Amino acid sequence: MESLGIMIGTKGLIKKHEFVRIIIQCLYSLGYEKSAACLETESNISCKSREFESLESHVLSASWDDCIETLNRINGMNDETRASALFLVLEQFLFECLNCGDNSLALEILQKRIACLKVDKEKIHKCAFEMLFLKQRGRGTVDCNVIHELRKGLVVKLEEVLPPPISLPDRRLEHLVETAVSAQIDNCIYHSSDMESLYEDHHCDRDQFPTETIQVQEDNKVSLKHILRSHQNPVSFVAWSPNDTMLLTCGNIEVLKLWDVETGTCKHTFGNDGFIVNSCAWFPDSKRIVCGSSVPKNGIYMWDCDGNEIKAWKGVRMPKVLDIAVTADGERLISILSDKEIRILNVATNAERVISENHSITSLSTSRDSKFLIVNLNSQEIHVWDISGNGSEPFQYRGHKQQKYVIRSCFGGFNSLFIASGSEDSKVYIWNRRYSSPIEVLSGHLNTVNCVGWNPRKPQMLASASDDQTIRIWGPSSMFH
C-alpha cells in the first residue's frame, strides 16, 4: 500500500491515496473495468477497503458469524450505522435458514439477535411477518442462483450503509466535480450561461450582461403594429398570453379586455356587469384567465377566453384585490389582499397559505420555475418568498427608491437568477438573488421607472418603462464592441 501521508495539489489539501481510490471507483462506475483494475494493480490501492473486502468475502460464502464479528470490530462507526448493517446481515442469515428448513435457528436469530438491535421496530415486525410467510411456503423454495444474487445485493446494501473510509459514497468523484462547478456558478455574479466545459474555470463577464440601451431592430427603427382603442379610462395593467397571441388590458377603474395581437381587435370584454378589474393573469395553457377587483366583495374570477365563468372566489368577507399572479406550472394562484397580505392558493385543492407583510405591497411577480414570488413594498424594500412555504422569512433587497408610486419588479436572466426593479430616481436596479445590494444601477430614463420586464427567451435582454413616456431596451455592452 502506498504511503497514506502523501499530499498532492498546489495547496497540499488532497491525500493522494484517497484521490486515486475515488478515480478507480469512477472508472468502475463508468464501465472501464479493465482500466480500473490496471490502476489498482499499478498504484497498489484498492477501490474497496480491506474491511469491506473481508465483509464481502464472508457474505458471499455465507460465513455469517465472521461477517458479524467483522462489523463489530470496525472502528469509527456509530451505533446506529452498525445496527443497520447488522440488521441487513441477520435478515439475510434468517432468510437462508428458513430456506433450508432450519426454522429453530431462524427463530433464534429473530428473537435473540434481531430483536435486540436498535433499529426501527417496523423493520423488525416486517422481518417477523416475512418469516411466518416463508415458513408457510416450506423449505427449498429458492434455488442457489437466486441465493447468490441476494447475497450480492446484500453487499451493495452494505456498501451504501457503511461510512467512509470503509465504503466510498456512490459516484464520489462526480459529486466532487459537480460541487466545484456549482461553487463556481454561485460565485459568478453576472452568471448568464451554463458552464460549457470542465477544461476551464467558469466566469461570465459583465459585458455579457444587459447594461446598455440598445435598439432591437437592425435598421434602428421600431414599427407601430396596433393602437388598441376601447377603454374609457387609463390603462394601468397589461398581460401577454403565454403563447404570445393575446393581450389582456385593464385599469384601476376599468373593465378587462382581451385583444387579438395579430389583428389588434378586441375579442372579449369582461366585467360589463359592473365587475371592475384592476389586475389579471394567465394560466399557462393560454385558455384561462384570472382577475381581481379592487372593489371589496367582488373578489377573484376565473374565466375562459370566451367569457365563461369557471370559478369565483367572492363574498362579503372578501377584501379588495390589489394584484394577482399564477405560477408558471398553473398550480397556484397568488393574490395581494388589503395592501399587506399575500394569499397563496392551491387551485386544485383550495389549500391556502397567507403571508403578512408589515408594509403596503404595490406589486407581485413570480419566478419562471414557480418556486418564488416577489413583492415590492412602499418601505423601499423588495421581498422574495418561497412559494412552497420553506423558510419563515423572505429574502430582502434594498437600494431602489419607492415611496409614492406603484413600482414593479421581476425575475429574469439565466434560471431567474436576477431581480430587476424600477425606481423613483429614474433608474433601473438589478440584484443577483444571492446578494441584498444591487450589482447594477442603469441610468438613462428621465423620470420614475414604473415597470421592468426581462426577456424570457433572451436572458441578456431587459426592458423598462418610465413616466418619461419612453420604453428602453437594455442589452450587453459587448454588442457595441
Side-chain angles (χ1 to χ4, degrees), residues 31-88:
Y32 303 127
E33 296 188 4
K34 291 182 180 178
S35 297
C38 181
L39 182 54
E40 284 182 307
T41 302
E42 185 176 356
S43 66
N44 198 26
I45 297 173
S46 175
C47 181
K48 295 177 180 177
S49 66
R50 289 176 179 173
E51 296 93 337
F52 193 83
E53 285 182 335
S54 177
L55 276 174
E56 183 176 23
S57 175
H58 294 325
V59 168
L60 296 179
S61 63
S63 303
W64 302 115
D65 288 333
D66 291 335
C67 187
I68 291 166
E69 183 183 347
T70 301
L71 282 172
N72 284 323
R73 223 177 31 237
I74 294 174
N75 295 321
M77 183 161 52
N78 63 42
D79 293 341
E80 183 180 350
T81 301
R82 196 185 310 275
S84 297
L86 287 169
F87 176 82
L88 291 171

Side-chain angles (χ1 to χ4, degrees), residues 58 102 146 236 255 319 414 467:
H58 294 325
D102 196 342
V146 174
S236 61
V255 293
F414 190 76
D467 281 350

Side-chain angles (χ1 to χ4, degrees), residues 290-292 298-301 311-313 318 321 324 333 335 343:
V290 66
C291 63
N298 280 353
I300 298 171
Y301 280 76
K311 202 170 185 179
W313 296 267
M318 189 72 182
V321 181
I324 202 164
L333 171 64
S335 52
R343 186 180 77 162

